[in-house]
Amino acid sequence: KAGVTQTPRYLIKTRGQQVTLSCSPISGHRSVSWYQQTPGQGLQFLFEYFSETQRNKGNFPGRFSGRQFSNSRSEMNVSTLELGDSALYLCASSLGPDWETQYFGPGTRLLVL
Amino acid sequence: ELKVEQNPLFLSMQEGKNYTIYCNYSTTSDRLYWYRQDPGKSLESLFVLLSNGAVKQEGRLMASLDTKARLSTLHITAAVHDLSATYFCAGRNAGNNRKLIWGLGTSLGVNP
């Protein structure tokens, strides 16, 4: 069974630009969560989607948004990029919202210059 | 909101010795997770602990949960080099916003 895939794996952007990251969950998984990982703040929850609906949201500004499609694939968008948005963005999938185990993708490493 | 603290943050282990990582959390969490992350890699699920007194073991790693003390431990038996990685614990926030709250991670190195 294929694992969680994320594209692109690496991205370099400049301040003020916007970026869209993509996540394809494991086949049959309907919940997708997004996390930001930085050396200073560690792992922080961004949002969770299930059946195309955002179920939970972390404490991030409105520049961070996401969506989920009917095939469970998810995208997250960051508008007006700031230097502090440089991070590893991880996507995780699980069977459903009351998950026991989340399976993580390899991540997208974003560098904002 | 739930807060999760791990200690130690760094641990230099000698091969063959036993060690413990502690994960304290501040309020009710209905489950506790342990994950492993190798440098430059993603997160690998190790254990999910759902109830008080839960104990799970996989190879040289054993995790336990004490909900009354709000404490989970990850015990390493006879450390080997392959266990060098960063280990994270995470609790699930109770209430309506059931997000995972993560500890800062414990970076383990094993010396021969």
Side-chain angles (χ1 to χ4, degrees):
Chain A
K1 206 177 207 182
V4 179
T5 58
Q6 291 186 247
T7 56
R9 294 291 311 278
Y10 304 92
L11 208 47
I12 300 175
K13 291 284 188 180
T14 55
R15 277 181 300 174
Q17 287 187 309
Q18 74 161 21
V19 67
T20 299
L21 311 182
S22 180
C23 171
S24 292
I26 291 172
S27 177
H29 285 196
R30 297 171 63 195
S31 277
V32 173
S33 296
W34 288 89
Y35 298 89
Q36 182 196 65
Q37 186 176 27
T38 59
Q41 300 293 321
L43 275 152
Q44 295 186 88
F45 171 79
L46 280 156
F47 21 67
E48 180 208 355
Y49 287 88
F50 173 71
S51 291
E52 302 178 66
T53 302
Q54 187 181 89
R55 287 179 54 88
N56 294 300
K57 191 175 186 308
N59 302 324
F60 279 81
R63 300 185 296 108
F64 291 81
S65 63
R67 59 179 175 166
Q68 186 180 35
F69 301 96
S70 58
N71 62 358
S72 296
R73 191 177 70 85
S74 177
E75 288 180 349
M76 67 162 279
N77 184 277
V78 188
S79 62
T80 320
L81 283 166
E82 300 176 0
L83 295 178
D85 297 333
S86 296
L88 179 67
Y89 290 88
L90 292 161
C91 161
S93 79
S94 58
L95 280 168
D98 200 26
W99 66 92
E100 280 198 15
T101 303
Q102 286 188 313
Y103 297 87
F104 281 80
T108 294
R109 191 164 293 281
L110 172 65
L111 177 62
V112 182
L113 301 175
Chain B
E1 185 172 279
L2 179 68
K3 287 182 171 48
V4 176
E5 282 188 10
Q6 278 182 248
N7 70 83
L9 296 183
F10 299 94
L11 189 52
S12 179
M13 304 188 292
Q14 287 189 325
E15 277 190 340
K17 292 198 172 178
N18 302 332
Y19 297 88
T20 301
I21 302 171
Y22 299 90
C23 178
N24 293 89
Y25 55 97
S26 59
T27 65
T28 302
S29 174
D30 65 351
R31 52 193 60 187
L32 199 294
Y33 297 82
W34 286 97
Y35 281 85
R36 167 181 171 147
Q37 187 176 37
D38 290 285
K41 300 288 179 73
S42 190
L43 290 150
E44 175 192 353
S45 176
L46 295 173
F47 303 108
V48 182
L49 303 167
L50 300 178
S51 58
N52 187 42
V55 177
K56 290 195 175 179
Q57 182 160 8
E58 180 76 32
R60 300 177 186 274
L61 301 177
M62 183 175 72
S64 64
L65 179 63
D66 180 344
T67 57
K68 291 177 183 172
R70 294 181 184 154
L71 171 68
S72 180
T73 60
L74 181 66
H75 187 72
I76 299 154
T77 302
V80 292
H81 182 72
D82 285 353
L83 292 178
S84 297
T86 300
Y87 293 81
F88 292 92
C89 67
R92 191 168 77 162
N93 206 38
N96 292 329
N97 195 353
R98 292 190 167 194
K99 57 187 181 182
L100 284 190
I101 306 295
W102 297 77
L104 290 179
T106 298
S107 180
L108 297 187
V110 181
N111 303 310

